[in-house]
Amino acid sequence: MKIAVEGCCHGELDKIYETIEYLEKKESIKVDLLLCCGDFQAVRNEGDLKCMAVPAKYRTMQTFYKYYSGEKKAPVLTIFIGGNHEASNHLQELPYGGWVAPNIYYLGYAGVVRYKGIRIGGLSGIYKSHDYRKGHHEFPPYNPETLRSVYHIRNMEVFKLKQIQMPIDIFMSHDWPRRIYHYGNTEDLLRKKKFLRSEVETNTLGSPAAEELLAHLQPSYWFSAHLHVKFAALMQHPPKGNAAPRVTKFLSLDKCLPYREFLQIVDIPDRSSSSEGLEYDPEWFAVLKATNSLQVTTPQRWNPPENNGLHERWDFRASEADMMQVMEDLSGELSIPDNFSRTVPPYDPGHPQPHAPPSYNTNPQTTELCTKLGLTDIYCKVGQRGDDAGRSQSTTREDEDESLDEPSEYPTDTSGLSSSFNPDEITIEDEWEEEEEEEKGAKADLPSDTHTPSRMVLPEPKSTISPSVLMDLPPPSHSTPRALPAQPEGEQEGRCGDEEAAARILKRSSGEAGSRNTTPIIKRRNQLIYQATDDDECEG
């Protein structure tokens, strides 16, 4: 099975699918699945733009609305998680996951699904200690505080994922697991992102929640994004009981921009499956059913039950009987139904509505799933509370002094003490401007016939393992295709360890095409056009 993995999408669906199509023709292959690691930006109309945490001047429709309206259909099955730049009111309609457009599936706040026998899990959002123990209380229209807190990871979702016992093949998170950078080429990372040095040296870069899940789930692959840099690592876990130690291959990718390493295709062996399509996961649904009564939809802090004599139940792992009950609830049908439906009118370029307010809607997919499994539609519950807890008009800034907050359940969390620039701590405007400057520098420094090193190999793990599990990652070898794809030079291939996987990195180059007329042009927030030659055309 060939799986394409993409970093931060930032609404560039047309360009991502275009690149996959180009590679398929070039290599005579067929990509089975696309995984996007956050910042997907499923913006349906102008109202959704107001629910996305980006500066107003960067609130552009991009291309998702075409897939939502039916104008286009995703050419490859796409699964994604949420990041920290999302149309949050849209994703909140699907707390347990669902279709945001035909052939495009969102995993929810947290989720596990199966595709052709491959088990895929994910956790949406980014970690912030001061919101971690709160419930999902946010509700549109968001204020400056809830516009950001809505995409912060909650301990409830992590607690659910920690009940998983069966092996996970692939896991996705937007931000990195903390300390994963020690299992790769750390110095190369710091050469690319100098401002991360302080967090790396103090072990405060990344998510402690994701770190905990990495240790518990020990998936074969873990894919992330967020830091807008490609980074590979290999981590061997301590053995659990008498089981052989497991190894996780970690890869973070960039966002879809010129000269960026934003896409990689990995081969994973096929497995027997009850369906050729996307399937629900019985163990995950059994966990959702068991933990449903623990759901919190207020800002009050919640701590997971523990075996300390204070809780009647603390173990919510799924038994075989629990999973059989899920099968009965679903009438024995695990295939995820193609039940996408639009809940708001899509953007109409011929009749723009810049003053459209943010929408709140329950989603029929969530309603149907909750009815079958006896779950609570938490977004609906927040909307029906009848108070202002989810719509507080507090103007308190998210990054103000957190000294009054209760201590994090992670005693080693010192994220509030770092003096360097964490990508989510700096202002959003600075994040975009920084990326723009990097792109200008890249264009100025790279010649038109840029060549890359022959190979990059994953580093040795911290403990001794067989070399057969090492994954060789080749350098980027594909650039932006012309309108009529040509054969680029400098192609390299790599193998993926014991699974003999062929991995190819894709990046876009603006120096490939010969003339402006043969070059695709797109709008984006900081690199606004793909252009063939240096010229002074640019859009604001």
Side-chain angles (χ1 to χ4, degrees):
M1 182 191 309
K2 287 180 167 39
I3 299 179
V5 184
E6 199 274 335
C8 295
C9 177
H10 288 303
E12 297 287 11
L13 281 180
D14 278 359
K15 302 311 297 182
I16 293 169
Y17 291 138
E18 177 183 299
T19 303
I20 291 175
E21 179 185 12
Y22 169 74
L23 179 61
E24 288 179 325
K25 292 178 180 178
K26 171 76 169 58
E27 301 291 337
S28 298
I29 62 173
K30 179 61 180 176
V31 172
D32 299 281
L33 178 67
L34 169 65
L35 302 178
C36 294
C37 299
D39 286 356
F40 190 80
Q41 297 184 5
V43 177
R44 302 165 293 183
N45 56 30
E46 293 95 332
D48 285 0
L49 284 175
K50 298 178 175 65
C51 300
M52 190 166 64
V54 299
K57 64 181 178 179
Y58 295 123
R59 288 177 181 164
T60 58
M61 289 303 302
Q62 303 295 63
T63 58
F64 170 78
Y65 76 91
K66 300 177 183 179
Y67 300 86
Y68 178 79
S69 68
E71 177 184 342
K72 292 186 175 184
K73 182 177 179 180
V76 58
L77 176 62
T78 302
I79 301 175
F80 74 97
I81 56 170
N84 58 315
H85 301 305
E86 303 289 358
S88 296
N89 63 323
H90 184 190
L91 299 190
Q92 278 195 290
E93 294 180 9
L94 301 165
Y96 307 112
W99 303 104
V100 298
N103 223 29
I104 303 177
Y105 192 85
Y106 168 55
L107 276 181
Y109 288 129
V112 180
V113 295
R114 295 173 183 262
Y115 180 67
K116 294 185 178 181
I118 302 297
R119 204 165 185 226
I120 302 168
L123 177 67
S124 292
I126 61 171
Y127 175 81
K128 285 292 180 178
S129 61
H130 53 278
D131 287 321
Y132 184 62
R133 288 184 289 144
K134 297 178 181 179
H136 292 290
H137 64 279
E138 295 85 359
F139 188 86
Y142 307 111
N143 62 59
E145 181 182 0
T146 58
L147 183 66
R148 287 185 164 222
S149 68
V150 68
Y151 57 72
H152 291 161
I153 291 168
R154 307 301 156 92
N155 62 350
M156 167 58 75
E157 312 307 332
V158 175
F159 179 75
K160 294 174 188 175
L161 287 167
K162 288 178 67 177
Q163 307 308 306
I164 293 292
Q165 299 300 306
M166 298 170 64
I168 295 285
D169 296 294
I170 296 171
F171 197 84
M172 294 187 290
S173 67
H174 188 57
D175 50 358
W176 297 12
R178 188 172 58 178
R179 295 190 177 93
I180 193 64
Y181 33 84
H182 293 311
Y183 294 85
N185 191 335
T186 310
E187 286 307 312
D188 183 62
L189 169 66
L190 295 179
R191 279 194 295 270
K192 297 175 181 177
K193 299 287 182 179
K194 295 179 177 61
F195 60 88
L196 298 178
R197 181 171 294 277
S198 177
E199 279 90 356
V200 168
E201 292 177 349
T202 58
N203 283 324
T204 55
L205 176 66
S207 165
E211 177 187 31
E212 191 171 315
L213 285 175
L214 175 59
H216 173 76
L217 297 173
Q218 301 183 2
S220 299
Y221 296 88
W222 187 297
F223 300 127
S224 295
H226 190 45
L227 296 183
H228 298 166
V229 64
K230 180 197 165 211
F231 179 78
L234 190 70
M235 181 178 186
Q236 181 181 8
H237 303 278
K240 289 186 176 181
N242 296 324
R246 294 178 59 84
V247 174
T248 295
K249 300 168 184 176
F250 174 84
L251 180 66
S252 179
L253 292 167
D254 209 328
K255 62 180 178 178
C256 181
L257 281 178
Y259 304 107
R260 297 302 190 95
E261 300 162 309
F262 68 94
L263 187 72
Q264 176 160 325
I265 294 179
V266 178
D267 263 334
I268 295 182
D270 292 331
R271 293 183 185 167
S272 59
S273 173
S274 59
S275 171
E276 286 297 302
L278 203 57
E279 293 181 301
Y280 293 127
D281 186 86
E283 184 187 19
W284 175 245
F285 273 6
V287 169
L288 291 183
K289 286 170 62 70
T291 57
N292 186 65
S293 62
L294 303 179
Q295 297 277 17
V296 176
T297 57
T298 69
Q300 277 67 47
R301 284 157 177 76
W302 177 84
N303 288 316
E306 300 177 12
N307 184 12
N308 56 9
L310 300 178
H311 302 94
E312 181 179 346
R313 182 180 180 183
W314 57 89
D315 186 348
F316 292 83
R317 291 176 292 181
S319 66
E320 184 176 349
D322 295 331
M323 289 185 273
M324 291 302 296
Q325 181 59 55
V326 167
M327 295 295 295
E328 184 178 331
D329 294 341
L330 297 175
S331 302
E333 182 56 65
L334 289 177
S335 295
I336 298 178
D338 293 326
N339 57 351
F340 165 73
S341 62
R342 291 189 289 270
T343 55
V344 299
Y347 170 68
D348 182 355
H351 299 86
Q353 299 182 35
H355 303 295
S359 65
Y360 160 76
N361 295 280
T362 56
N363 195 297
Q365 296 178 72
T366 302
T367 302
E368 179 182 345
L369 185 64
C370 289
T371 300
K372 287 182 178 180
L373 298 178
L375 302 178
T376 300
D377 184 343
I378 56 180
Y379 189 44
C380 179
K381 185 176 180 180
V382 172
Q384 293 176 345
R385 267 207 318 265
D387 58 34
D388 294 327
R391 289 172 280 182
S392 169
Q393 295 304 309
S394 168
T395 57
T396 304
R397 289 186 57 202
E398 173 190 4
D399 293 321
E400 283 183 341
D401 182 10
E402 298 170 19
S403 60
L404 299 179
D405 193 15
E406 297 182 46
S408 167
E409 67 180 79
Y410 297 96
T412 59
D413 174 31
T414 57
S415 58
L417 304 179
S418 173
S419 60
S420 59
F421 294 99
N422 182 290
D424 189 56
E425 295 286 357
I426 62 177
T427 65
I428 298 177
E429 289 84 352
D430 287 345
E431 180 181 340
W432 257 259
E433 293 302 325
E434 175 192 330
E435 294 293 333
E436 187 173 23
E437 291 303 315
E438 289 182 7
E439 289 306 316
K440 290 179 180 178
K443 290 187 67 178
D445 295 339
L446 285 176
S448 59
D449 58 344
T450 299
H451 295 281
T452 55
S454 59
R455 293 178 72 80
M456 189 185 83
V457 181
L458 272 173
E460 293 286 346
K462 293 245 170 167
S463 55
T464 303
I465 64 172
S466 169
S468 65
V469 302
L470 293 179
M471 179 172 68
D472 293 349
L473 296 180
S477 59
H478 295 82
S479 55
T480 304
R482 305 182 187 186
L484 296 176
Q487 300 287 328
E489 298 180 356
E491 176 188 353
Q492 290 102 13
E493 294 184 358
R495 300 192 67 80
C496 187
D498 55 335
E499 294 174 341
E500 311 232 328
R504 300 172 182 86
I505 306 290
L506 306 178
K507 61 190 291 193
R508 296 193 174 279
S509 168
S510 61
E512 176 184 346
S515 69
R516 186 181 312 164
N517 294 334
T518 61
T519 304
I521 298 178
I522 66 167
K523 293 183 179 180
R524 56 175 73 253
R525 57 184 56 79
N526 50 9
Q527 180 70 40
L528 294 174
I529 59 174
Y530 290 92
Q531 51 189 5
T533 58
D534 280 336
D535 55 46
D536 56 1
E537 287 187 27
C538 104
E539 298 174 36

